[in-house]
Structure formats: structure tokens, C-alpha cells
């Protein structure tokens, strides 16, 4: 049998470079609309216009897809900051976080986290992973500040730094009270800075410098 010289062999379907971010986007959308149980890989694939095999080549399970998609959302909405000072870093993060929680998507995510994490360990693990990542980023920001010579206390509780603000968001979501707004970032920041900086003089105490969030 002769050989067909010069014939280009058929290749598979070309890879869609936009498929992965599109999959993440629709995974988040379906999570917010339906919760973890209601989000299926089939539905994400259909919404994103890809086959299930495309999803499973990148994510081995629905849990991993949900975790990755939410982590990506948080990184986009509340990115890490490196402004040259711990005050500047926290101000940027707080402003971004407050902007996010005042959006329809942000509020839906907080309410979903509260309802899902209390009944489903898989969902709880997703939100713990997000908080742990934010704690690690905050610890790195504190380390940079110390390296610059900023007077950061040695016993700062980094987890509490992250959890106290997250707690405000959760309480407001549960009670229906308005979220603090981006304009409140400096007031919230004042509270945090007083807790993490070495005091050069007596602590004025909350009665002399109230922070009403």
C-alpha cells in the first residue's frame, strides 16, 4: 500500500483557552444559585459549553471544582495587596472585601457559606480553605511589615485578624443589617491597627477612640 506523502494527520479538537475560566465562572454561578448539592458537573459543563471530560481532566471531583472556583473568585474580588506598608495593605484588602460583600454576588456567597457549612462537611472544608489562605496572606503581609521595620507586635493572632471581620459579615448577613461599606474601611482599619502595632504610649481604650462598625 502506498504512503500518502504530504497529508497532514488529523488532530483532535483544538483546546479552548477560555474554557477553564468559563468553567470556573459557571461553577460559581451555579453554586450561588443552587448550593453545593444542587450544582452538578453535568450542569456546569452544559452552561460552559464543554464536555464533562474537559472538566474532569482538570478537576477530579465536584468538590475540587467548587473549591478551586470559589478560591479563584475570592482572589479576583479580594486580591492580595503589597503597597509598601501594613496599613496600606490592610486598607486595600478591607476596601475590596467591603465592596464585595456589598455586591449581590458577595452577599449571596456569605449566606451560602453560613447555610452550607453548618450542614455539609464538604462545604465547610471549602470555606475553611478560603479562610486559611487569607490567614496565610495576612501572615505574609505582617512578615513584610516586620522586615521593613514596622512595629508589629510579636504575638499578633493572625487568624483572629481575619476571623473578626469575617464574623462581622456573617452576623450582618444573618440579621439582615446593612453591611459596612467601603467608606467604613478606615474605621475598621483603625481597630485592627491598634491591635497589631506595638504601643508607644498608654492604650487610649475604646472609650476614647470608638470604632462603630
Amino acid at each position: 500500500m502506498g504512503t500518502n506523502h504530504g497529508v497532514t494527520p488529523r488532530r483532535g479538537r483544538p483546546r479552548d483557552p477560555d474554557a477553564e475560566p468559563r468553567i470556573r465562572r459557571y461553577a460559581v454561578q451555579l453554586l450561588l444559585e443552587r448550593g453545593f448539592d444542587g450544582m452538578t458537573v453535568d450542569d456546569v459543563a452544559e452552561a460552559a459549553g464543554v464536555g464533562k471530560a474537559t472538566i474532569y481532566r482538570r478537576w477530579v471531583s465536584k468538590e475540587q471544582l467548587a473549591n478551586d472556583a470559589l478560591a479563584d473568585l475570592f482572589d479576583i474580588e479580594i486580591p492580595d495587596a503589597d503597597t509598601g506598608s501594613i496599613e496600606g495593605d490592610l486598607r486595600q484588602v478591607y476596601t475590596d472585601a467591603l465592596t464585595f460583600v456589598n455586591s449581590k454576588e458577595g452577599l449571596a456567597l456569605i449566606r451560602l457559606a453560613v447555610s452550607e457549612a453548618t450542614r455539609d462537611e464538604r462545604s465547610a472544608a471549602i470555606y475553611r480553605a478560603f479562610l486559611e489562605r487569607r490567614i496565610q496572606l495576612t501572615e505574609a503581609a505582617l512578615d513584610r511589615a516586620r522586615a521593613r521595620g514596622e512595629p508589629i507586635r510579636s504575638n499578633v493572632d493572625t487568624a483572629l485578624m481575619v476571623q473578626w471581620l469575617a464574623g462581622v459579615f456573617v452576623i450582618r448577613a444573618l440579621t439582615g443589617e446593612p453591611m459596612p461599606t467601603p467608606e467604613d474601611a478606615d474605621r475598621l482599619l483603625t481597630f485592627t491597627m491598634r491591635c497589631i502595632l506595638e504601643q508607644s504610649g498608654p492604650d487610649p481604650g475604646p472609650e476614647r477612640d470608638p470604632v462603630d462598625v
Side-chain angles (χ1 to χ4, degrees):
M1 180 180 293
T3 302
N4 290 328
H5 296 290
V7 176
T8 302
R10 291 186 63 184
R11 297 180 180 273
R13 190 176 184 179
R15 184 176 179 183
D16 180 357
D18 297 323
E20 188 167 314
R22 193 166 64 247
I23 292 166
R24 293 172 191 261
R25 185 170 67 251
Y26 282 109
V28 167
Q29 180 179 316
L30 291 173
L31 272 170
L32 296 183
E33 289 176 357
R34 306 177 184 179
F36 183 79
D37 286 343
M39 184 201 85
T40 68
V41 173
D42 283 337
D43 288 342
V44 173
E46 181 178 355
V50 301
K52 281 202 304 183
T54 299
I55 294 179
Y56 282 120
R57 275 197 296 270
R58 176 61 182 83
W59 297 278
V60 299
S61 66
K62 185 174 80 166
E63 289 86 351
Q64 190 183 87
L65 171 59
N67 194 335
D68 208 19
L70 286 176
D72 189 59
L73 173 68
F74 283 124
D75 284 347
I76 291 171
E77 299 291 344
I78 313 173
D80 192 20
D82 188 359
T83 65
S85 74
I86 189 63
E87 184 173 5
D89 291 351
L90 291 175
R91 179 178 289 109
Q92 181 174 319
V93 169
Y94 281 22
T95 300
D96 289 340
L98 291 167
T99 299
F100 182 54
V101 300
N102 279 279
S103 70
K104 180 179 178 182
E105 187 176 53
L107 183 58
L109 185 57
I110 293 172
R111 288 174 172 164
L112 178 69
V114 172
S115 62
E116 295 276 293
T118 54
R119 69 173 191 82
D120 188 331
E121 174 55 31
R122 296 169 300 176
S123 296
I126 290 172
Y127 296 107
R128 280 199 303 270
F130 159 69
L131 286 173
E132 183 57 38
R133 172 164 169 71
R134 184 54 58 182
I135 289 167
Q136 291 171 358
L137 290 173
T138 303
E139 187 63 52
L142 292 173
D143 288 343
R144 291 194 302 268
R146 292 187 180 103
R148 289 189 297 260
E150 295 186 54
I152 305 298
R153 291 180 177 178
S154 59
N155 62 344
V156 172
D157 188 332
T158 315
L160 192 58
M161 278 183 66
V162 173
Q163 292 168 351
W164 87 261
L165 188 57
V168 170
F169 296 157
V170 168
I171 291 296
R172 295 291 177 95
L174 286 173
T175 61
E177 295 178 76
M179 291 288 178
T181 69
E183 289 70 30
D184 294 313
D186 280 344
R187 290 194 294 166
L188 298 172
L189 177 60
T190 297
F191 182 83
T192 299
M193 293 299 291
R194 289 176 57 206
C195 295
I196 68 174
L197 293 181
E198 295 285 0
Q199 299 295 319
S200 57
D203 188 336
E207 70 279 3
R208 295 177 58 184
D209 185 19
V211 178
D212 179 11
V213 299

